[in-house]
Amino acid sequence: MTKSPIILVIGTFDTKDEELNYLCARIRAQGAEVLTMDVSVLGNPSQPTNISKAEVAAAAGRTIDEAMTAEDENVAMQIMAAGAAMLTAKLHAEGRIQGMIALGGTMGTDLALDCARALPIGVPKYVVSTIAFSALIPPDRLSADIQMILWAGGLYGLNDICKATLSQAAGAVVGAARAVEPPNPDRPVIGMMSFGSSALKYMIHLRQPLIDRGFSVAVFHGTGMGGMAMESLAEQGYFACVLELAVAEIGNLMVGSIVNAGANRMTSAPKRGTPVIAAPGFGDMIDFAAWAPVPERFRDRPYHAHNRLLASASLTAEERGDLAHEVARRLKSGSGPVAFVLPTQASTHGTPKACQPTIPKPWRRWSAPIAQQ
Amino acid sequence: MPAHDPEALAAMVSAYRAAMTVPIQLTELDCHINDEAFSVEVLRIIDRWIADGTITMTR
């Protein structure tokens, strides 16, 4: 990577001028260069930024006056977000920046998520946010390799707490720009959905043969965020083929579990025309948060807390059938070729550990005796 | 209800069989998803798709 990476610093320089200038100073102190982009609407920065708010609005095909006189702050911000995302992509494509970092409360974060999505995998994209990790962040707006940092105590002015965060953030983005090994652009990539190998073994059987055929193999964890990441890449046409071999995220979506990968899950590859091979992995259970009350409708079913984060419960026969039809509907939502491999012996999936009498050879055979809870 | 339930399994297999209609190319295998036979079939499809150009090997 270049010795002096150029980092795009994005923020509302009217209200966060001091914090952003501190961040820029810390980035420069690491030996990197800074390109500043002001996405504020109403006020003015203490000194001109490299990219002005007017240029941001113009990139969205609008004027800053239109943003300033927009009917509300939401409309204004979306004008700036469109322009900022466009400029972020353009600056990177032109080789003028090697990474981005954005600072935000809810407005700035909303805009920053669009900017991060505009950059390819392997380009450092940092969002320093007062709402990092919160339920306010919709998973389907996250880039597959976004880095978020919680910024607390910095709503109004610098102090030791937020300086500790901002200085680390500066080190992170510069360090990332220097350390990154970007993806090989020439090797076709297979995206595969799976769960851990104690449950599903096909990733072990498939990985090396696929590598031998010349593919790079990216296996995504079906616990919501993994599917979201895979879906966002599928939407960009990133994959040569997608192996949708586990369907639990669709089941989770159908029952309203937070462990889902967004409403569009499993539709991007078909719509893109990317070939898909699918299978009913984990089609008999759903996941939910282990730290929240068990959802009402699952309270009378076998349930197992995998750890303090994640718990699983079984689907009824009827629910599994509904899931099958929903999976089919999504796979048919585009024009891409789809193959479905249906293992008719105990497929998949999980018998929750609570139902197993011993340390399991889990999920191997339906006919293995289990104890009732 | 317990996850280990042969009736539920049969019902689920029937549902997938009914749902995965044309244009989806359905293959049924008398095996478990964790058996190598399952992965062998996935690779067979991939090889066919590489040969007929369905999968593009360049980016």
Side-chain angles (χ1 to χ4, degrees):
Chain A
M1 200 57 244
T2 85
K3 282 203 157 102
S4 290
I6 304 167
I7 307 297
L8 178 65
V9 176
I10 303 168
T12 48
F13 278 79
D14 59 351
T15 51
K16 296 188 167 52
D17 193 71
E18 191 187 20
E19 297 86 336
L20 286 160
N21 285 320
Y22 174 78
L23 181 63
C24 289
R26 297 313 305 159
I27 290 173
R28 291 189 186 101
Q30 316 287 322
E33 293 174 40
V34 167
L35 205 68
T36 51
M37 179 156 78
D38 179 18
V39 295
S40 67
V41 173
L42 295 176
N44 288 307
S46 62
Q47 58 201 332
T49 51
N50 297 114
I51 298 162
S52 70
K53 64 182 69 188
E55 290 173 90
V56 173
R62 311 291 283 275
T63 66
I64 192 61
D65 281 342
E66 285 179 71
M68 287 171 75
T69 57
E71 66 204 69
D72 66 23
E73 73 277 20
N74 190 6
V75 173
M77 186 281 302
Q78 291 189 46
I79 292 172
M80 302 306 275
M86 216 160 304
L87 283 173
T88 301
K90 183 166 178 287
L91 288 164
H92 176 259
E94 291 172 353
R96 292 177 58 197
I97 58 170
Q98 282 77 49
M100 69 157 262
I101 184 163
L103 201 61
T106 59
M107 301 298 276
T109 300
D110 189 353
L111 179 148
L113 294 178
D114 285 351
C115 295
R117 258 191 112 89
L119 291 174
I121 294 260
V123 180
K125 42 187 79 72
Y126 282 79
V127 177
V128 184
S129 168
T130 60
I131 54 164
F133 311 111
S134 108
L136 286 173
I137 309 279
D140 55 6
R141 289 193 58 200
L142 294 171
S143 330
D145 69 341
I146 194 170
Q147 321 259 313
M148 286 197 86
I149 295 175
L150 180 61
W151 177 37
L155 187 63
Y156 193 65
L158 286 174
N159 55 66
D160 286 350
I161 296 174
C162 68
K163 277 162 89 170
T165 295
L166 294 178
S167 52
Q168 288 181 72
V173 66
V174 175
R178 290 197 171 117
V180 66
E181 289 191 320
N184 178 339
D186 296 325
R187 202 176 300 140
V189 186
I190 291 213
M192 185 192 311
M193 168 60 35
S194 189
F195 287 85
S197 58
S198 60
L200 293 174
K201 305 256 184 255
Y202 51 72
M203 64 183 179
I204 297 172
H205 301 145
L206 286 169
R207 183 171 177 270
Q208 193 57 50
L210 290 171
I211 289 172
D212 292 342
R213 285 160 172 76
F215 295 105
S216 172
V217 182
V219 185
F220 296 84
H221 197 193
T223 43
M225 300 306 291
M228 177 281 304
M230 190 171 88
E231 199 69 25
S232 75
L233 292 170
E235 195 186 10
Q236 295 168 31
Y238 195 81
F239 300 118
C241 180
V242 178
L243 304 183
E244 297 279 19
L245 304 179
V247 302
E249 284 165 337
I250 304 300
N252 292 343
L253 187 64
M254 291 170 73
V255 303
S257 164
I258 61 165
V259 190
N260 74 77
N264 293 332
R265 182 70 186 91
M266 228 180 254
T267 63
S268 300
K271 288 194 162 105
R272 191 80 200 199
T274 303
V276 174
I277 304 175
F282 261 55
D284 64 342
M285 40 199 321
I286 56 100
D287 296 319
F288 46 91
W291 44 264
V294 176
E296 178 99 34
R297 78 192 256 194
F298 298 106
R299 283 188 197 153
D300 60 349
R301 309 189 191 194
Y303 149 94
H304 176 65
H306 193 45
N307 48 48
R308 287 169 297 177
L309 300 178
L310 189 73
S312 308
S314 300
L315 292 176
T316 63
E318 190 187 344
E319 287 166 340
R320 297 176 202 190
D322 290 345
L323 173 54
H325 284 278
E326 181 60 21
V327 168
R329 195 184 68 78
R330 285 163 187 266
L331 293 173
K332 288 180 184 173
S333 65
S335 61
V338 179
F340 195 90
V341 183
L342 177 59
T344 58
Q345 273 182 39
S347 353
T348 80
H349 345 163
T351 301
K353 284 186 161 62
C355 302
Q356 294 171 353
T358 59
I359 304 298
K361 289 209 188 336
W363 310 303
R364 172 80 184 126
R365 305 184 74 80
W366 282 106
S367 56
I370 56 164
Q372 290 301 314
Q373 227 180 341
Chain B
M1 62 167 286
H4 163 61
D5 182 338
E7 278 181 27
L9 167 64
M12 190 174 83
V13 168
S14 289
Y16 277 101
R17 201 180 271 137
M20 298 301 162
T21 54
V22 165
I24 295 180
Q25 307 158 37
L26 173 65
T27 307
E28 290 189 31
L29 293 179
D30 182 20
C31 74
H32 189 291
I33 201 169
N34 286 339
D35 292 335
E36 289 196 31
F38 170 80
S39 294
V40 164
E41 178 61 24
V42 171
L43 289 167
R44 203 186 60 76
I45 296 169
I46 286 178
D47 286 337
R48 188 176 82 228
W49 281 353
I50 293 172
D52 70 14
T54 300
I55 290 180
T56 311
M57 291 305 290
T58 54
R59 289 177 72 193

